[in-house]
Amino acid sequence: MRRLDGPHPELPPCPPPRAGGGKGSSGGGKSAEKPPCNIDGIARTELRLPQGAVPAPLYALGAIASVQVGATVARNLFAFLGPTGTVFLRVAFGAGILLAIARPRRPRFDARQWRAIVLFGLVIAGMNLCFYQAIARIPLGVAVTIEFIVPLGVAIVSSRRVLDFAWAAMAATGVALLSFSGGAVTTLGLLFALGAAAGWASYIVLSQRVGRLVPGPDGLAFALAVGGLALLPFGIAGAGGRLLHVRNLALGLVVAILSSAIPFSLEFAALRRLSRQVFGILMSLEPAMGAAAGFLFLGQRLSLRDAIAIGLVMVASAGATRSAPAPAATDVP
């Protein structure tokens, strides 16, 4: 799962970039206003590439690939730390990375702000814990597919054109086929995946609330720290002293970088170049990418039904990208 995890693309705490007009690139010689932080309140860290050097959809696809590869690294770490030890290192290192980037000042929050931050942190902890427990029991592609119910719904609800509904319906068909592929799918694994999906929905709502109450990245930084503290007893119970082994610490840091730092930056870059609707439908590739990563790195074999489902999702995403109107021009670094 992503975004420390979760779906930050839909409701970012930071103001989105202006889509043109005013003091944009069309007049006055001034650059369009750029937000100081990305879609989750993190300081902008995307690579500064020449405008047009990378096709916009590749930023989103790169973010998806990074998240899923991070999940396979985490899955391999289960043999040494178990899901609980692994998720603790992932969230703890994620908090450390964000705190290093945000460099928040000494917190002076009131009771309402602290309540929102603590609740947000607990949701982050529970969401990640459920997802890692799910991929310990069911194939990665299936877990990602079940968790994907929320963002797919956002993409459909935000659509206003008949053709977009057609692409969304095709993607939904692929997701449904992938969900009921059978094989090594257990009821407990599906329940954990549904718990992760519920956590993702809560994450969207709470990230917006924390973003309003605590400007900038400080709210998310401290929420992640709360999440890490909440997972500490689970991590110790599940892995004990193995948490301090250098190899396990190094792999935990790799998981945090692949699942959080890199996707945050790439998704922010994608959202500056794509409409939110197109970005949301592009995210429909996530179940397919999860299934592919599981096959390549974890040996989770794909059935013919899985291959058909992946094909449907890819065609839907490509069709949505081709038929979508070009986003308004902005000054992109």
Side-chain angles (χ1 to χ4, degrees):
M1 147 176 295
R2 71 173 47 244
R3 328 29 122 165
L4 296 175
D5 221 323
H8 37 316
E10 290 77 21
L11 293 172
C14 289
R18 295 185 179 179
K23 297 181 180 180
S25 57
S26 60
K30 294 185 178 180
S31 298
E33 181 178 334
K34 303 180 183 68
C37 46
N38 72 4
I39 51 179
D40 263 305
I42 298 178
R44 298 174 63 235
T45 57
E46 76 276 13
L47 297 177
R48 292 181 175 274
L49 299 175
Q51 184 171 354
V54 178
L58 290 186
Y59 287 100
L61 297 179
I64 295 171
S66 182
V67 167
Q68 300 310 321
V69 172
T72 64
V73 176
R75 183 63 179 80
N76 284 315
L77 194 53
F78 289 177
F80 304 97
L81 299 179
T84 54
T86 303
V87 74
F88 165 67
L89 286 186
R90 186 266 175 85
V91 174
F93 277 126
I97 291 171
L98 181 52
L99 287 169
I101 293 174
R103 296 189 296 275
R105 300 176 180 177
R106 184 177 178 179
R108 296 181 179 178
F109 303 137
D110 59 29
R112 186 176 63 160
Q113 290 172 314
W114 273 120
R115 282 195 298 268
I117 288 172
V118 170
L119 181 59
F120 193 25
L122 293 177
V123 165
I124 290 172
M127 175 178 58
N128 281 278
L129 182 59
C130 284
F131 182 75
Y132 276 31
Q133 291 288 354
I135 64 174
R137 293 168 171 82
I138 60 178
L140 177 60
V142 175
V144 174
T145 298
I146 300 301
E147 188 197 37
F148 189 70
I149 293 172
V150 173
L152 181 61
V154 170
I156 294 175
V157 169
S158 64
S159 177
R160 295 182 179 180
R161 299 192 306 165
V162 174
L163 185 58
D164 291 325
F165 274 104
W167 296 128
M170 183 177 291
T173 301
V175 168
L177 288 175
L178 206 56
S179 298
F180 303 105
S181 59
V185 177
T186 66
T187 301
L188 185 57
L190 289 175
L191 289 176
F192 274 122
L194 287 172
W200 196 343
S202 301
Y203 179 100
I204 294 175
V205 175
L206 289 172
S207 65
Q208 185 184 41
R209 175 173 172 77
V210 171
R212 287 196 304 262
L213 291 175
V214 185
D218 292 10
L220 180 59
F222 286 111
L224 281 171
V226 169
L229 289 174
L231 289 169
L232 177 60
F234 295 96
I236 293 175
R242 297 189 301 276
L243 286 170
L244 301 179
H245 291 184
V246 174
R247 176 187 180 277
N248 295 337
L249 289 171
L251 287 176
L253 178 60
V254 169
V255 171
I257 292 172
L258 288 173
S259 302
S260 304
I262 293 176
F264 279 148
S265 182
L266 291 179
E267 286 179 354
F268 177 74
L271 283 168
R272 288 181 60 82
R273 294 161 172 82
L274 297 169
S275 70
R276 297 211 164 207
Q277 180 187 335
V278 172
F279 180 85
I281 297 177
L282 271 175
M283 289 295 106
S284 64
L285 273 174
E286 198 147 14
M289 197 77 79
F295 173 72
L296 292 174
F297 301 108
L298 301 175
Q300 297 173 344
R301 300 184 64 83
L302 300 172
S303 66
L304 178 60
R305 175 185 286 186
D306 296 330
I308 293 174
I310 290 172
L312 286 173
V313 174
M314 288 182 173
V315 170
S317 296
T321 303
R322 285 183 59 87
S323 63
T330 58
D331 179 27
V332 180

